[in-house]
């Protein structure tokens, strides 16, 4: 009875914590954005301090820590130290949250863990769609404008882009990617079907070119591991779901997804990926002047403002790491990311039903090429989710035996 009660409490606590990660807009500015999940993690850590366990790091985690330590240390010699301090604090919070996630995730069964993922995923997408609909209604379905927000809607160059309960449509796709691939792999269940439809609709309504590309590639990779029978079902069912979703959005929200997507893709050659190509060229010029240790953590925005007239993010995590931490930092991150790939492949090799982990990994890797996510709470959560799948049920039961004997 004691064991069952403990697991039940862990389930509720983890559910609240994971969901709170997606409430980042409800923050208080204290020099940095203090978000709900940060406060909750501190409370959890204080309550579990006597029982807290630091798990032995896996090979990719070791290089992850090496990378982040080196990356933060580049701020010591940076031109804009205050900017470096800000991101260093964000990274420390992210690493702290990662260890909290690991500790909590190790105390529930995989079945409970997946129930949490499914429930949070559906809740997150339903709320995001409702906020988007509220935005459309409040703006009377007027799509004219740029940089204007109404609830879960952002008007971007006359496009009605979904941001849900976040503040950026591209970040929304990344935050939602793990749920999408999880539901794709569990479409045999009713919750999986509902979740997949919801995540596909919200992803498309974000009108994120990079996000949609990343999602499509990830879906193809995930489906490749399915049985022939399952592949045939998906080939038949997905187009039907797509058409139903298309006409539903057209009638309810008065949005012609097809036409907007066509215009969105055609604009790539005109806007250079929303100016990314020019930004990347500026970044490379800075790297050539500081190739070894880089210009310092979180210094690109200030360099860009001073030298190129606009303080803007790199919109490419890999390039941002190269520019700000040089060759050394890039090599450390590359080793970490490759070792993570092999860790995921070892999980998939043992159980092909977990191929959605590989799909999510590839999708997020592509997203990293278009966004600056090095200290994102969604990246740390994703890494912790992967870690839980690398923990076998045998290891979980062994821990429970030690805990309750």
């Amino acid at each position: 009875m004691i064991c069952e009660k403990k697991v039940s409490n862990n389930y509720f606590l983890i559910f609240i914590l994971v969901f709170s990660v997606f409430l980042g807009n409800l923050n208080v500015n204290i020099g940095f954005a203090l978000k709900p999940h940060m406060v909750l993690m501190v409370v959890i850590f204080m309550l579990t301090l006597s029982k807290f366990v630091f798990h032995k790091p896996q090979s990719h985690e070791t290089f992850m820590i090496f990378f982040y330590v080196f990356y933060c240390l580049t701020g010591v010699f940076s031109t804009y130290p205050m900017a470096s301090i800000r991101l260093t604090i964000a990274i420390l919070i992210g690493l702290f949250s990662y260890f909290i996630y690991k500790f909590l995730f190790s105390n529930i069964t995989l079945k409970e863990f997946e129930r949490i993922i499914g429930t949070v995923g559906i809740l997150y997408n339903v709320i995001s769609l409702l906020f988007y609909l509220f935005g459309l209604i409040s703006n009377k379905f007027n799509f004219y404008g740029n940089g204007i927000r109404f609830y879960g809607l952002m008007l971007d160059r006359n496009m009605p882009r979904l941001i849900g309960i976040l503040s950026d449509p591209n970040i929304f796709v990344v935050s939602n990617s793990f749920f999408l691939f999880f539901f794709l792999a569990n479409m045999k269940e009713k919750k999986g079907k509902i979740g997949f439809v919801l995540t596909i609709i919200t992803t498309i309504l974000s009108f994120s070119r990079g996000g949609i590309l990343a999602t499509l590639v990830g879906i193809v990779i995930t489906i490749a591991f399915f049985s022939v029978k399952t592949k045939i079902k998906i080939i038949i069912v997905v187009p039907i779901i797509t058409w139903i979703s298309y006409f539903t959005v057209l009638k309810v929200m008065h949005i012609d997804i097809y036409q907007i997507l066509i215009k969105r893709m055609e604009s790539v050659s005109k806007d250079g990926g929303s100016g990314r190509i020019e930004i990347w060229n500026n970044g490379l010029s800075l790297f050539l002047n500081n190739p070894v240790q880089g210009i310092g953590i979180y210094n690109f925005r200030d360099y860009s403002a001073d030298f190129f007239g606009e303080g803007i993010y790199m919109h490419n995590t890999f390039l941002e790491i190269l520019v700000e931490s040089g060759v050394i930092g890039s090599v450390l991150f590359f080793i970490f990311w490759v070792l993570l790939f092999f860790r995921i492949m070892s999980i998939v090799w043992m159980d092909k039903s977990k191929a959605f982990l590989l799909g999510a990994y590839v999708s997020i890797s592509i997203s990293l090429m278009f966004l600056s996510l090095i200290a994102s709470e969604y990246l740390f959560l994703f890494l912790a989710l992967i870690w839980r799948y690398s923990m076998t049920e045998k290891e979980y039961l062994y821990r429970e035996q030690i805990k309750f004997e």
Side-chain angles (χ1 to χ4, degrees), residues 11 26 31 60 73 115 207 211 213 245 269 299 324 341 377:
Y11 177 89
L26 303 175
H60 72 278
L73 287 176
R115 194 185 310 152
F207 297 112
L213 171 64
S245 301
S269 60
N299 268 217
E324 295 185 343
F341 168 78
E377 56 263 41

Side-chain angles (χ1 to χ4, degrees), residues 99-147:
F99 291 115
I100 295 290
Y101 296 145
K102 285 181 61 176
F103 169 68
L104 290 175
F105 291 171
S106 69
N107 287 304
I108 57 172
T109 64
L110 192 58
K111 186 176 181 180
E112 289 176 313
F113 176 70
E114 292 189 330
R115 194 185 310 152
I116 289 171
I117 295 173
T119 305
V120 171
I122 288 178
L123 187 61
Y124 178 44
N125 280 272
V126 167
I127 294 174
S128 295
L129 273 174
L130 287 175
F131 267 62
Y132 182 66
L133 188 57
F134 291 158
L136 290 171
I137 294 171
S138 67
N139 197 39
K140 299 178 181 179
F141 295 91
N142 176 13
F143 303 151
Y144 183 78
N146 185 45

Side-chain angles (χ1 to χ4, degrees), residues 10 23 56 105 125 208 254 272 329:
N10 284 333
L23 302 176
K56 181 181 178 181
F105 291 171
N125 280 272
S208 170
H254 309 296

Side-chain angles (χ1 to χ4, degrees), residues 63-72 74 83-84 86-95 97-98 171 174 296-301 313-325 329-330 332-334 336-337 364 367-381 383:
F63 276 94
M64 176 185 75
I65 294 171
F66 283 160
F67 161 70
Y68 277 118
V69 169
F70 178 81
Y71 191 40
C72 292
T74 61
S84 296
R86 285 188 63 191
L87 193 63
T88 297
I89 292 173
I91 287 173
L92 292 176
I93 292 172
L95 288 172
S97 67
Y98 177 72
I171 299 297
V174 175
I297 178 175
Y298 204 47
N299 268 217
F300 175 74
R301 287 188 72 187
Y313 289 106
M314 181 74 74
H315 292 292
N316 185 318
T317 301
F318 299 111
L319 187 56
E320 188 170 58
I321 292 168
L322 179 66
V323 172
E324 295 185 343
S325 63
S330 289
L332 289 173
F333 184 82
F334 176 77
F336 148 57
W337 203 246
I364 289 176
S367 294
L368 291 177
M369 298 177 186
F370 299 99
L371 299 169
S372 296
L373 298 171
I374 194 60
S376 171
E377 56 263 41
Y378 309 114
L379 179 61
F380 287 110
L381 178 60
L383 293 172

Side-chain angles (χ1 to χ4, degrees), residues 83-360:
S84 296
I85 290 172
R86 285 188 63 191
L87 193 63
T88 297
I89 292 173
I91 287 173
L92 292 176
I93 292 172
L95 288 172
F96 175 69
S97 67
Y98 177 72
F99 291 115
I100 295 290
Y101 296 145
K102 285 181 61 176
F103 169 68
L104 290 175
F105 291 171
S106 69
N107 287 304
I108 57 172
T109 64
L110 192 58
K111 186 176 181 180
E112 289 176 313
F113 176 70
E114 292 189 330
R115 194 185 310 152
I116 289 171
I117 295 173
T119 305
V120 171
I122 288 178
L123 187 61
Y124 178 44
N125 280 272
V126 167
I127 294 174
S128 295
L129 273 174
L130 287 175
F131 267 62
Y132 182 66
L133 188 57
F134 291 158
L136 290 171
I137 294 171
S138 67
N139 197 39
K140 299 178 181 179
F141 295 91
N142 176 13
F143 303 151
Y144 183 78
N146 185 45
I148 305 171
R149 291 177 170 82
F150 298 91
Y151 296 98
L153 163 71
M154 183 182 82
L155 296 178
D156 178 22
R157 288 161 289 183
N158 306 324
M159 284 181 294
R161 304 184 67 181
L162 180 144
I163 57 176
I165 53 178
L166 302 185
S167 59
D168 184 274
N170 302 307
I171 299 297
F172 177 85
V173 175
V174 175
S175 71
N176 204 28
S177 58
F178 191 88
F179 296 131
L180 187 150
F181 292 102
F182 174 78
F183 289 132
L184 174 62
N186 291 277
M187 285 184 66
K188 291 181 180 179
E189 301 175 11
K190 185 177 180 180
K191 182 183 284 188
K193 291 184 178 72
I194 294 172
F196 184 67
V197 171
L198 287 171
T199 52
I200 282 293
I201 291 174
T202 53
T203 296
I204 293 175
L205 287 174
S206 73
F207 297 112
S208 170
R209 292 172 296 200
I212 292 173
L213 171 64
T215 299
L216 288 175
V217 175
I219 287 175
V220 170
I221 289 174
T222 303
I223 292 176
F225 286 86
F226 291 171
S227 66
V228 175
K229 184 178 179 181
T230 303
K231 288 177 184 175
I232 293 173
K233 284 183 178 179
I234 289 176
I235 291 172
I236 296 173
V237 171
V238 170
I240 295 174
I241 291 175
T242 302
W243 278 108
I244 292 174
S245 301
Y246 170 75
F247 284 109
T248 300
V249 171
L250 184 62
K251 295 297 182 182
V252 176
M253 301 180 181
H254 309 296
I255 298 174
D256 192 331
I257 294 176
Y258 176 74
Q259 291 299 326
I260 294 176
L261 282 176
I262 292 297
K263 291 180 181 178
R264 188 87 170 112
M265 297 306 174
E266 288 176 347
S267 66
V268 174
S269 60
K270 298 178 182 178
D271 63 13
S274 297
R276 283 177 171 83
I277 294 176
E278 183 180 354
I279 297 169
W280 296 344
N281 285 332
N282 293 340
L284 286 173
S285 67
L286 292 175
F287 164 71
L288 293 175
N289 291 326
N290 305 271
V292 180
Q293 82 283 357
I295 62 176
I297 178 175
Y298 204 47
N299 268 217
F300 175 74
R301 287 188 72 187
D302 290 306
Y303 267 93
S304 180
D306 287 348
F307 290 92
F308 308 113
E310 185 178 12
I312 195 168
Y313 289 106
M314 181 74 74
H315 292 292
N316 185 318
T317 301
F318 299 111
L319 187 56
E320 188 170 58
I321 292 168
L322 179 66
V323 172
E324 295 185 343
S325 63
V327 173
I328 299 174
S330 289
V331 169
L332 289 173
F333 184 82
F334 176 77
I335 295 173
F336 148 57
W337 203 246
V338 169
L339 288 175
L340 176 63
F341 168 78
F342 285 116
R343 172 61 60 178
I344 291 172
M345 286 304 299
S346 68
I347 299 170
V348 176
W349 183 261
M350 293 171 56
D351 184 357
K352 288 186 177 180
S353 68
K354 301 299 185 294
F356 71 91
L357 298 176
L358 179 61

